[in-house]
Amino acid sequence: MSSTTPNARVQVSRVPSKPVRRRDDGTIAIDLWLRRDGVFDADVALHLTPAEAELLHAQLCYALADEPVTTPARHTPDCRKPSIGSPGAHWP
C-alpha cells in the first residue's frame, strides 16, 4: 500500500464482482476497493459481526424506503416489499 499523502482524496467502493459472504469465524465480509486520488491502492474487506450486519441491513432498508425496488421479487428482502398495514409506517 502506498504511503499516505497529505490531502489525498480517498474513495472506498464495493468490489462489484464479489458477493457479501459469511466467513468461517461467523463474521460477514464485504470486499472493498480503496483508491487514493483516483488511483487503485488496495483491496480491503469490511468484517461485521452478525449483529452489526443486521443493523446495517435495517438501516439500508430504511434509507431505501422511498427508492424504487430494482431487484426481482424472489431476491428482494422483505423490508423492501410492499407491506400490508399503516401507510407510512417505517422501522426503525
Side-chain angles (χ1 to χ4, degrees), residues 3-84:
S3 62
T4 303
T5 58
N7 302 319
R9 184 169 178 242
V10 176
Q11 293 175 293
V12 178
S13 58
R14 280 200 54 207
V15 178
S17 61
K18 293 187 177 181
V20 174
R21 66 191 186 286
R22 183 178 294 270
R23 293 170 27 108
D24 291 341
D25 66 1
T27 61
I28 309 300
I30 305 171
D31 292 296
L32 305 170
W33 280 330
L34 176 66
R35 289 177 291 181
R36 294 178 198 268
D37 295 324
V39 178
F40 174 79
D41 194 40
D43 283 344
V44 296
L46 173 63
H47 296 248
L48 302 170
T49 65
E52 291 167 331
E54 182 63 32
L55 181 58
L56 177 59
H57 176 262
Q59 290 172 342
L60 288 169
C61 282
Y62 182 74
L64 289 168
D66 295 328
E67 295 294 323
V69 175
T70 59
T71 54
R74 69 182 185 279
H75 295 296
T76 301
D78 289 342
C79 66
R80 297 283 288 141
K81 293 178 181 176
S83 61
I84 299 171

